[in-house]
Amino acid sequence: MSSPISPACARPEPALSRRDVMVAGAAGLALVTLPTPALAAAPPALAELIARITEGAVPERGRISFDIPQLVENGNSVDVAIQVESPMTEADHVRWIHVIAEKNPFPDVARFHLGPRSGRADIRATLRLATSQKVVAIAALSGGGYVIADIDIVVTLSACIDGG
Amino acid sequence: MASFNARITMPAEAKTGEIVEIRVLVRHPMDRGGQVDSEGRVVPRKILNRLTVTYAGEPVFRYDMHTGVSANPFVSFTTRAVETGELTFEWREDGGAIFTRTARLVVT
């Protein structure tokens, strides 16, 4: 089917004015001075999404592996696999794993709730990606910490083209 | 939707303490809303928004799905075999419909 991109997926990219660039630059400087190494590299929108998920805590890198094809031919169904190194005991387990696709019309894609009875933190699923973007997996640990992994994905056929 | 087609793949039996993988594939369009159908009408959002799995009465897994989950959603997860019992899979669809399937795991 060759119908147009659906309205829900239309995300007009506003042209950046010089003023916006200046403000963004200033915000970027402010961000760099904050003690948030994991967030400093991310663009503000994504950092906000992450901060909302982790309630402001800074997620650590490592212990989590996020497998997703880097070149996706069809964004309508993308295989992802997420594993977190965890003993999955009552005292130390993964509470949930959350997937964010920042440029999807609805960036919160999925959340998997696990527990000590999972045995392993090992999830596979099929997701939709609207466009080429950074996709992030965040796992919440029972101890209160968070671990994060992200990956840049190129999508050739957007999930927003109807008929898929 | 009139029929609900779910395929649950898991071992029928396991040893105590063994970690079993459970794979669940459901036939569902996962209408994310906003598309225009062939007659020019806007399709409302209708997705399965949650899958809850209990094992011998205890919750073991939950999958919160949003519009970013593909049509015919697949998910695989693991659970530790602790006792012989039923795994109950319950899907909640937008609009309030509930679909339930069960599978039995024999633990030796």
Side-chain angles (χ1 to χ4, degrees):
Chain A
M1 227 200 296
S2 62
S3 36
I5 292 172
S6 64
C9 287
R11 283 170 61 92
E13 296 279 334
L16 284 180
S17 68
R18 279 177 64 158
R19 178 172 303 228
D20 287 339
V21 172
M22 296 290 280
V23 169
L29 281 177
L31 206 65
V32 169
T33 55
L34 291 174
T36 54
L39 297 183
L46 184 56
E48 258 169 51
L49 289 168
I50 295 169
R52 187 171 48 75
I53 299 292
T54 63
E55 295 173 331
V58 179
E60 286 174 28
R61 296 201 173 261
R63 282 186 67 185
I64 177 168
S65 83
F66 186 20
D67 290 327
I68 176 168
Q70 278 181 287
L71 179 63
V72 172
E73 280 187 36
N74 185 346
N76 283 304
S77 183
V78 184
D79 294 328
V80 303
I82 305 166
Q83 284 121 24
V84 187
E85 284 171 40
S86 168
M88 295 305 274
T89 58
E90 200 65 52
D92 183 4
H93 59 264
V94 175
R95 287 158 52 218
W96 46 254
I97 300 168
H98 192 109
V99 179
I100 301 173
E102 61 165 334
K103 288 184 182 164
N104 270 20
F106 192 75
D108 288 314
V109 173
R111 183 179 284 200
F112 309 93
H113 296 259
L114 312 177
R117 302 222 352 193
S118 296
R120 274 201 311 259
D122 187 348
I123 296 292
R124 283 184 294 143
T126 50
L127 306 177
R128 278 179 182 142
L129 293 177
T131 182
S132 300
Q133 57 184 309
K134 195 184 280 286
V135 183
V136 180
I138 300 175
L141 309 176
S142 58
Y146 298 87
V147 289
I148 187 170
D150 58 23
I151 186 157
D152 286 302
I153 310 294
V154 174
V155 178
T156 9
L157 174 63
S158 161
C160 283
I161 305 295
D162 281 345
Chain B
M1 61 200 293
S3 65
F4 183 77
N5 191 343
R7 186 185 299 167
I8 297 163
T9 310
M10 55 179 267
E13 48 189 274
K15 292 188 170 62
T16 305
E18 196 181 321
I19 293 167
V20 296
E21 187 190 10
I22 298 160
R23 289 180 284 169
V24 185
L25 179 63
V26 182
R27 189 169 281 280
H28 193 282
M30 297 293 278
D31 288 323
R32 63 183 177 268
Q35 308 102 305
V36 179
D37 67 11
S38 52
E39 279 148 48
R41 288 172 304 209
V42 174
V43 178
R45 174 186 137 146
K46 191 165 200 179
I47 62 168
L48 296 168
N49 54 48
R50 180 175 289 184
L51 163 64
T52 309
V53 183
T54 61
Y55 171 22
E58 294 283 324
V60 290
F61 179 70
R62 196 178 102 200
Y63 183 13
D64 294 341
M65 289 173 269
H66 300 289
T67 49
V69 173
S70 75
N72 303 327
F74 167 83
V75 67
S76 99
F77 61 97
T78 55
T79 192
R80 196 185 297 275
V82 288
E83 59 182 302
T84 298
E86 295 272 323
L87 279 96
T88 304
F89 300 79
E90 186 186 280
W91 292 264
R92 206 176 68 177
E93 189 183 54
D94 284 353
I98 304 274
F99 306 99
T100 309
R101 294 289 182 274
T102 58
R104 189 170 173 79
L105 182 65
V106 175
V107 177
T108 51

PDB file of all heavy atoms in Angstrom, chain B residues 18-41:
ATOM      1  N   GLU B  18      15.808 -25.839  37.230  1.00  0.00           N
ATOM      2  CA  GLU B  18      16.194 -25.576  35.846  1.00  0.00           C
ATOM      3  C   GLU B  18      15.538 -24.274  35.374  1.00  0.00           C
ATOM      4  O   GLU B  18      14.424 -23.943  35.785  1.00  0.00           O
ATOM      5  CB  GLU B  18      15.720 -26.740  34.975  1.00  0.00           C
ATOM      6  CG  GLU B  18      16.353 -26.807  33.604  1.00  0.00           C
ATOM      7  CD  GLU B  18      15.797 -27.978  32.797  1.00  0.00           C
ATOM      8  OE1 GLU B  18      15.560 -29.068  33.386  1.00  0.00           O
ATOM      9  OE2 GLU B  18      15.585 -27.795  31.603  1.00  0.00           O
ATOM     10  N   ILE B  19      16.246 -23.577  34.500  1.00  0.00           N
ATOM     11  CA  ILE B  19      15.667 -22.346  33.952  1.00  0.00           C
ATOM     12  C   ILE B  19      15.085 -22.676  32.584  1.00  0.00           C
ATOM     13  O   ILE B  19      15.794 -23.167  31.708  1.00  0.00           O
ATOM     14  CB  ILE B  19      16.739 -21.245  33.875  1.00  0.00           C
ATOM     15  CG1 ILE B  19      17.162 -20.851  35.290  1.00  0.00           C
ATOM     16  CG2 ILE B  19      16.217 -20.036  33.121  1.00  0.00           C
ATOM     17  CD1 ILE B  19      18.405 -20.011  35.375  1.00  0.00           C
ATOM     18  N   VAL B  20      13.802 -22.458  32.428  1.00  0.00           N
ATOM     19  CA  VAL B  20      13.144 -22.779  31.161  1.00  0.00           C
ATOM     20  C   VAL B  20      12.843 -21.493  30.399  1.00  0.00           C
ATOM     21  O   VAL B  20      12.526 -20.460  30.987  1.00  0.00           O
ATOM     22  CB  VAL B  20      11.844 -23.587  31.373  1.00  0.00           C
ATOM     23  CG1 VAL B  20      12.133 -24.933  31.988  1.00  0.00           C
ATOM     24  CG2 VAL B  20      10.849 -22.823  32.216  1.00  0.00           C
ATOM     25  N   GLU B  21      12.968 -21.603  29.087  1.00  0.00           N
ATOM     26  CA  GLU B  21      12.656 -20.465  28.233  1.00  0.00           C
ATOM     27  C   GLU B  21      11.233 -20.610  27.723  1.00  0.00           C
ATOM     28  O   GLU B  21      10.811 -21.692  27.316  1.00  0.00           O
ATOM     29  CB  GLU B  21      13.630 -20.394  27.058  1.00  0.00           C
ATOM     30  CG  GLU B  21      13.441 -19.138  26.237  1.00  0.00           C
ATOM     31  CD  GLU B  21      14.219 -19.134  24.927  1.00  0.00           C
ATOM     32  OE1 GLU B  21      14.765 -20.163  24.540  1.00  0.00           O
ATOM     33  OE2 GLU B  21      14.241 -18.066  24.297  1.00  0.00           O
ATOM     34  N   ILE B  22      10.498 -19.519  27.765  1.00  0.00           N
ATOM     35  CA  ILE B  22       9.106 -19.520  27.316  1.00  0.00           C
ATOM     36  C   ILE B  22       8.982 -18.503  26.197  1.00  0.00           C
ATOM     37  O   ILE B  22       9.379 -17.348  26.349  1.00  0.00           O
ATOM     38  CB  ILE B  22       8.170 -19.169  28.491  1.00  0.00           C
ATOM     39  CG1 ILE B  22       8.308 -20.240  29.569  1.00  0.00           C
ATOM     40  CG2 ILE B  22       6.726 -19.054  28.023  1.00  0.00           C
ATOM     41  CD1 ILE B  22       7.856 -19.810  30.913  1.00  0.00           C
ATOM     42  N   ARG B  23       8.461 -18.951  25.077  1.00  0.00           N
ATOM     43  CA  ARG B  23       8.316 -18.066  23.913  1.00  0.00           C
ATOM     44  C   ARG B  23       6.837 -17.920  23.601  1.00  0.00           C
ATOM     45  O   ARG B  23       6.105 -18.917  23.580  1.00  0.00           O
ATOM     46  CB  ARG B  23       9.072 -18.645  22.714  1.00  0.00           C
ATOM     47  CG  ARG B  23      10.568 -18.547  22.900  1.00  0.00           C
ATOM     48  CD  ARG B  23      11.323 -19.110  21.730  1.00  0.00           C
ATOM     49  NE  ARG B  23      11.304 -20.565  21.748  1.00  0.00           N
ATOM     50  CZ  ARG B  23      11.700 -21.314  20.723  1.00  0.00           C
ATOM     51  NH1 ARG B  23      12.101 -20.753  19.610  1.00  0.00           N
ATOM     52  NH2 ARG B  23      11.680 -22.620  20.817  1.00  0.00           N
ATOM     53  N   VAL B  24       6.417 -16.711  23.400  1.00  0.00           N
ATOM     54  CA  VAL B  24       4.996 -16.429  23.201  1.00  0.00           C
ATOM     55  C   VAL B  24       4.830 -15.587  21.936  1.00  0.00           C
ATOM     56  O   VAL B  24       5.432 -14.525  21.805  1.00  0.00           O
ATOM     57  CB  VAL B  24       4.411 -15.658  24.409  1.00  0.00           C
ATOM     58  CG1 VAL B  24       2.911 -15.479  24.243  1.00  0.00           C
ATOM     59  CG2 VAL B  24       4.731 -16.380  25.710  1.00  0.00           C
ATOM     60  N   LEU B  25       4.033 -16.108  21.022  1.00  0.00           N
ATOM     61  CA  LEU B  25       3.744 -15.383  19.778  1.00  0.00           C
ATOM     62  C   LEU B  25       2.229 -15.255  19.670  1.00  0.00           C
ATOM     63  O   LEU B  25       1.509 -16.247  19.802  1.00  0.00           O
ATOM     64  CB  LEU B  25       4.307 -16.155  18.588  1.00  0.00           C
ATOM     65  CG  LEU B  25       4.067 -15.559  17.197  1.00  0.00           C
ATOM     66  CD1 LEU B  25       4.752 -14.214  17.058  1.00  0.00           C
ATOM     67  CD2 LEU B  25       4.553 -16.521  16.127  1.00  0.00           C
ATOM     68  N   VAL B  26       1.759 -14.048  19.446  1.00  0.00           N
ATOM     69  CA  VAL B  26       0.316 -13.801  19.390  1.00  0.00           C
ATOM     70  C   VAL B  26      -0.018 -13.182  18.041  1.00  0.00           C
ATOM     71  O   VAL B  26       0.736 -12.347  17.541  1.00  0.00           O
ATOM     72  CB  VAL B  26      -0.119 -12.835  20.512  1.00  0.00           C
ATOM     73  CG1 VAL B  26      -1.622 -12.620  20.485  1.00  0.00           C
ATOM     74  CG2 VAL B  26       0.306 -13.349  21.855  1.00  0.00           C
ATOM     75  N   ARG B  27      -1.129 -13.586  17.483  1.00  0.00           N
ATOM     76  CA  ARG B  27      -1.593 -12.940  16.261  1.00  0.00           C
ATOM     77  C   ARG B  27      -2.470 -11.754  16.652  1.00  0.00           C
ATOM     78  O   ARG B  27      -3.519 -11.948  17.280  1.00  0.00           O
ATOM     79  CB  ARG B  27      -2.382 -13.944  15.415  1.00  0.00           C
ATOM     80  CG  ARG B  27      -2.734 -13.443  14.036  1.00  0.00           C
ATOM     81  CD  ARG B  27      -3.274 -14.569  13.178  1.00  0.00           C
ATOM     82  NE  ARG B  27      -2.218 -15.415  12.646  1.00  0.00           N
ATOM     83  CZ  ARG B  27      -1.485 -15.089  11.569  1.00  0.00           C
ATOM     84  NH1 ARG B  27      -1.707 -13.970  10.939  1.00  0.00           N
ATOM     85  NH2 ARG B  27      -0.557 -15.901  11.135  1.00  0.00           N
ATOM     86  N   HIS B  28      -2.006 -10.564  16.355  1.00  0.00           N
ATOM     87  CA  HIS B  28      -2.769  -9.366  16.714  1.00  0.00           C
ATOM     88  C   HIS B  28      -2.255  -8.208  15.863  1.00  0.00           C
ATOM     89  O   HIS B  28      -1.044  -8.030  15.725  1.00  0.00           O
ATOM     90  CB  HIS B  28      -2.580  -9.045  18.201  1.00  0.00           C
ATOM     91  CG  HIS B  28      -3.566  -8.039  18.716  1.00  0.00           C
ATOM     92  ND1 HIS B  28      -3.445  -6.699  18.473  1.00  0.00           N
ATOM     93  CD2 HIS B  28      -4.703  -8.191  19.441  1.00  0.00           C
ATOM     94  CE1 HIS B  28      -4.472  -6.068  19.034  1.00  0.00           C
ATOM     95  NE2 HIS B  28      -5.257  -6.942  19.621  1.00  0.00           N
ATOM     96  N   PRO B  29      -3.148  -7.386  15.294  1.00  0.00           N
ATOM     97  CA  PRO B  29      -2.663  -6.295  14.425  1.00  0.00           C
ATOM     98  C   PRO B  29      -1.938  -5.185  15.172  1.00  0.00           C
ATOM     99  O   PRO B  29      -1.174  -4.425  14.560  1.00  0.00           O
ATOM    100  CB  PRO B  29      -3.948  -5.769  13.783  1.00  0.00           C
ATOM    101  CG  PRO B  29      -5.058  -6.201  14.681  1.00  0.00           C
ATOM    102  CD  PRO B  29      -4.605  -7.476  15.328  1.00  0.00           C
ATOM    103  N   MET B  30      -2.154  -5.062  16.497  1.00  0.00           N
ATOM    104  CA  MET B  30      -1.520  -3.995  17.288  1.00  0.00           C
ATOM    105  C   MET B  30      -1.728  -2.640  16.611  1.00  0.00           C
ATOM    106  O   MET B  30      -0.768  -1.906  16.327  1.00  0.00           O
ATOM    107  CB  MET B  30      -0.033  -4.277  17.506  1.00  0.00           C
ATOM    108  CG  MET B  30       0.264  -5.530  18.288  1.00  0.00           C
ATOM    109  SD  MET B  30      -0.262  -5.482  20.013  1.00  0.00           S
ATOM    110  CE  MET B  30       1.098  -4.611  20.776  1.00  0.00           C
ATOM    111  N   ASP B  31      -2.977  -2.297  16.314  1.00  0.00           N
ATOM    112  CA  ASP B  31      -3.281  -1.029  15.647  1.00  0.00           C
ATOM    113  C   ASP B  31      -2.822   0.124  16.523  1.00  0.00           C
ATOM    114  O   ASP B  31      -3.356   0.333  17.610  1.00  0.00           O
ATOM    115  CB  ASP B  31      -4.796  -0.906  15.400  1.00  0.00           C
ATOM    116  CG  ASP B  31      -5.263  -1.844  14.307  1.00  0.00           C
ATOM    117  OD1 ASP B  31      -4.515  -2.016  13.340  1.00  0.00           O
ATOM    118  OD2 ASP B  31      -6.369  -2.406  14.442  1.00  0.00           O
ATOM    119  N   ARG B  32      -1.822   0.875  16.026  1.00  0.00           N
ATOM    120  CA  ARG B  32      -1.264   1.934  16.877  1.00  0.00           C
ATOM    121  C   ARG B  32      -2.109   3.204  16.807  1.00  0.00           C
ATOM    122  O   ARG B  32      -1.888   4.149  17.531  1.00  0.00           O
ATOM    123  CB  ARG B  32       0.170   2.231  16.456  1.00  0.00           C
ATOM    124  CG  ARG B  32       0.255   2.751  15.048  1.00  0.00           C
ATOM    125  CD  ARG B  32       1.676   2.980  14.588  1.00  0.00           C
ATOM    126  NE  ARG B  32       1.621   3.415  13.205  1.00  0.00           N
ATOM    127  CZ  ARG B  32       1.700   2.597  12.175  1.00  0.00           C
ATOM    128  NH1 ARG B  32       1.880   1.324  12.374  1.00  0.00           N
ATOM    129  NH2 ARG B  32       1.616   3.048  10.959  1.00  0.00           N
ATOM    130  N   GLY B  33      -3.089   3.235  15.887  1.00  0.00           N
ATOM    131  CA  GLY B  33      -3.951   4.403  15.789  1.00  0.00           C
ATOM    132  C   GLY B  33      -3.353   5.430  14.854  1.00  0.00           C
ATOM    133  O   GLY B  33      -2.141   5.563  14.748  1.00  0.00           O
ATOM    134  N   GLY B  34      -4.229   6.158  14.156  1.00  0.00           N
ATOM    135  CA  GLY B  34      -3.745   7.230  13.302  1.00  0.00           C
ATOM    136  C   GLY B  34      -3.588   6.853  11.847  1.00  0.00           C
ATOM    137  O   GLY B  34      -3.534   7.720  10.994  1.00  0.00           O
ATOM    138  N   GLN B  35      -3.510   5.533  11.552  1.00  0.00           N
ATOM    139  CA  GLN B  35      -3.428   5.165  10.141  1.00  0.00           C
ATOM    140  C   GLN B  35      -4.771   5.428   9.476  1.00  0.00           C
ATOM    141  O   GLN B  35      -5.802   5.450  10.126  1.00  0.00           O
ATOM    142  CB  GLN B  35      -3.089   3.678   9.949  1.00  0.00           C
ATOM    143  CG  GLN B  35      -1.897   3.193  10.698  1.00  0.00           C
ATOM    144  CD  GLN B  35      -2.306   2.428  11.934  1.00  0.00           C
ATOM    145  OE1 GLN B  35      -3.042   2.939  12.753  1.00  0.00           O
ATOM    146  NE2 GLN B  35      -1.807   1.223  12.047  1.00  0.00           N
ATOM    147  N   VAL B  36      -4.739   5.572   8.160  1.00  0.00           N
ATOM    148  CA  VAL B  36      -5.973   5.759   7.400  1.00  0.00           C
ATOM    149  C   VAL B  36      -6.224   4.480   6.614  1.00  0.00           C
ATOM    150  O   VAL B  36      -5.335   3.995   5.921  1.00  0.00           O
ATOM    151  CB  VAL B  36      -5.824   6.968   6.455  1.00  0.00           C
ATOM    152  CG1 VAL B  36      -7.092   7.161   5.639  1.00  0.00           C
ATOM    153  CG2 VAL B  36      -5.522   8.220   7.257  1.00  0.00           C
ATOM    154  N   ASP B  37      -7.416   3.910   6.755  1.00  0.00           N
ATOM    155  CA  ASP B  37      -7.675   2.654   6.050  1.00  0.00           C
ATOM    156  C   ASP B  37      -8.106   2.927   4.613  1.00  0.00           C
ATOM    157  O   ASP B  37      -8.149   4.077   4.163  1.00  0.00           O
ATOM    158  CB  ASP B  37      -8.704   1.801   6.814  1.00  0.00           C
ATOM    159  CG  ASP B  37     -10.096   2.417   6.832  1.00  0.00           C
ATOM    160  OD1 ASP B  37     -10.323   3.384   6.087  1.00  0.00           O
ATOM    161  OD2 ASP B  37     -10.944   1.936   7.595  1.00  0.00           O
ATOM    162  N   SER B  38      -8.435   1.860   3.868  1.00  0.00           N
ATOM    163  CA  SER B  38      -8.698   2.014   2.431  1.00  0.00           C
ATOM    164  C   SER B  38      -9.921   2.879   2.167  1.00  0.00           C
ATOM    165  O   SER B  38     -10.083   3.404   1.075  1.00  0.00           O
ATOM    166  CB  SER B  38      -8.877   0.634   1.798  1.00  0.00           C
ATOM    167  OG  SER B  38      -9.848  -0.095   2.534  1.00  0.00           O
ATOM    168  N   GLU B  39     -10.811   3.025   3.163  1.00  0.00           N
ATOM    169  CA  GLU B  39     -11.996   3.863   2.961  1.00  0.00           C
ATOM    170  C   GLU B  39     -11.816   5.259   3.552  1.00  0.00           C
ATOM    171  O   GLU B  39     -12.791   6.002   3.694  1.00  0.00           O
ATOM    172  CB  GLU B  39     -13.228   3.175   3.563  1.00  0.00           C
ATOM    173  CG  GLU B  39     -13.787   2.109   2.630  1.00  0.00           C
ATOM    174  CD  GLU B  39     -14.411   0.961   3.388  1.00  0.00           C
ATOM    175  OE1 GLU B  39     -15.206   1.225   4.304  1.00  0.00           O
ATOM    176  OE2 GLU B  39     -14.084  -0.202   3.064  1.00  0.00           O
ATOM    177  N   GLY B  40     -10.613   5.603   3.929  1.00  0.00           N
ATOM    178  CA  GLY B  40     -10.342   6.958   4.368  1.00  0.00           C
ATOM    179  C   GLY B  40     -10.656   7.227   5.830  1.00  0.00           C
ATOM    180  O   GLY B  40     -10.581   8.369   6.277  1.00  0.00           O
ATOM    181  N   ARG B  41     -10.996   6.165   6.578  1.00  0.00           N
ATOM    182  CA  ARG B  41     -11.280   6.374   7.995  1.00  0.00           C
ATOM    183  C   ARG B  41      -9.999   6.217   8.807  1.00  0.00           C
ATOM    184  O   ARG B  41      -9.129   5.430   8.446  1.00  0.00           O
ATOM    185  CB  ARG B  41     -12.309   5.344   8.483  1.00  0.00           C
ATOM    186  CG  ARG B  41     -13.704   5.610   7.956  1.00  0.00           C
ATOM    187  CD  ARG B  41     -14.621   4.472   8.298  1.00  0.00           C
ATOM    188  NE  ARG B  41     -14.070   3.212   7.785  1.00  0.00           N
ATOM    189  CZ  ARG B  41     -14.829   2.186   7.427  1.00  0.00           C
ATOM    190  NH1 ARG B  41     -16.134   2.231   7.544  1.00  0.00           N
ATOM    191  NH2 ARG B  41     -14.278   1.067   6.976  1.00  0.00           N
TER     192      ARG B  41
END
